[in-house]
Amino acid sequence: MTSPELEIVVQLLRSNNPIQGDDIPSMRASLDAAVGALPPPADVELESVDAGGVPAEWTTAPGADPTRAIVYLHGGGYTIGSIQSHRPLVAKLSRATGARVLNVDYRLGPEHPFPAAVEDAVAAYRFVLASGGVPARTAIAGDSAGGGLTAACLVALRDAGAPLPAAAVCISPWLDLSFGGDSIRSKVDVDPLVDRTSLQRMADAYLGGSDPRAPTASPLFADLTGLPPLLVHVGSREILLDDSTRFAKRARSAGVDVELEVWEGMIHVWHSFADLLPEGREAIERIGDYLSERLR
């Protein structure tokens, strides 16, 4: 059974969607107005860095092990979102995992179309290793488009022969920019946050005419052989639900260690509402347990 707080969050989203707008600039402004001013906890240390040419910010909660690192790729349909919009979530993840988290400000479309985001994600991961990070104590994680970018980054690193991280976490990932999943249609009335029209606008802006089924644009269609262990979180009310279920099935068929968790009644990236939602706090704790075990 879901918590009473869930329906409060759902009604808030239905009355004031944080990513509303008829074009990319208005959607960016909407998100910035909704969450951009939310500060991280006062005891979390923030350090701006140049991560191989990519703006980024180290987030370190009290007691975090400096030898453990997570490269975090924010959501926003590859067109909106930023370090600032995801500071609160990243801070919670640093606290839960006991690791430093590199919050990556990768380039966005339409100004910087595919594969710019993939290139920046790879550069940020390489920066961590060049700064003394060890693959066995490093992970990559992301939400929504950042969850898809997490998978794309793993594929790109593997294809380049680079050492892969110990694990990765995909939160409500967008893995199919061709919209082939049934849930795109079947969940439209129950998903209070994400809609097909907005996703199509974002996909068009990000792809810039590229093939939506390209392996690092839509990792659902990539060869997933050799990827590290994956934790995939998705809510049962998401129109992107089938992206996760199909991806997990293909990854398992390729021999990847995948833990797919479909959280009953949950909405897109419910982790972001952890201040209000007990299930959000539980999900972040679950990620903390998963990564703490694999980054030892």
Side-chain angles (χ1 to χ4, degrees), residues 190-203:
V190 297
D191 190 326
L193 184 60
V194 183
D195 64 86
R196 168 65 187 270
T197 299
S198 295
L199 285 179
Q200 188 67 65
R201 182 182 301 124
M202 291 169 160

Side-chain angles (χ1 to χ4, degrees), residues 53-261:
V54 183
E57 184 176 82
W58 279 115
T59 301
T60 308
D65 184 343
T67 70
R68 300 165 67 181
I70 301 168
V71 177
Y72 194 82
L73 307 170
H74 68 77
Y78 297 106
T79 58
I80 67 176
S82 65
I83 287 175
Q84 186 176 9
S85 68
H86 281 66
R87 274 179 181 149
L89 176 57
V90 168
K92 290 179 176 67
L93 289 171
S94 178
R95 196 182 304 278
T97 59
R100 296 197 302 162
V101 183
L102 185 69
N103 191 358
V104 181
D105 204 11
Y106 59 87
R107 289 171 291 171
L108 302 175
E111 297 90 344
H112 305 283
F114 170 79
V118 182
E119 294 168 349
D120 287 359
V122 168
Y125 174 76
R126 291 184 182 276
F127 163 78
V128 171
L129 300 191
S131 302
V134 178
R137 296 176 69 81
T138 304
I140 303 176
D143 66 279
S144 194
L149 185 56
T150 294
C153 182
L154 295 174
V155 170
L157 288 168
R158 181 209 58 201
D159 289 351
L164 296 176
V169 177
C170 300
I171 302 171
S172 298
W174 188 17
L175 297 154
D176 177 10
L177 275 62
S178 71
F179 303 101
D182 290 340
S183 58
I184 288 288
R185 295 169 291 278
S186 65
K187 300 290 184 178
V188 65
D189 292 330
V190 297
D191 190 326
L193 184 60
V194 183
D195 64 86
R196 168 65 187 270
T197 299
S198 295
L199 285 179
Q200 188 67 65
R201 182 182 301 124
M202 291 169 160
D204 292 343
Y206 173 57
L207 290 170
S210 295
D211 182 0
R213 294 169 65 97
T216 52
S218 294
L220 177 67
F221 305 109
D223 173 10
L224 304 176
T225 305
L227 298 193
L230 300 170
L231 173 65
V232 180
H233 272 186
V234 68
S236 68
R237 293 173 68 162
E238 299 195 47
I239 67 172
L240 293 178
L241 170 61
D242 286 351
D243 281 34
S244 290
T245 56
R246 291 180 295 152
F247 178 77
K249 182 178 180 179
R250 292 199 69 250
R252 289 189 185 116
S253 296
V256 180
D257 177 4
V258 182
E259 295 188 31
L260 169 67
E261 297 183 0

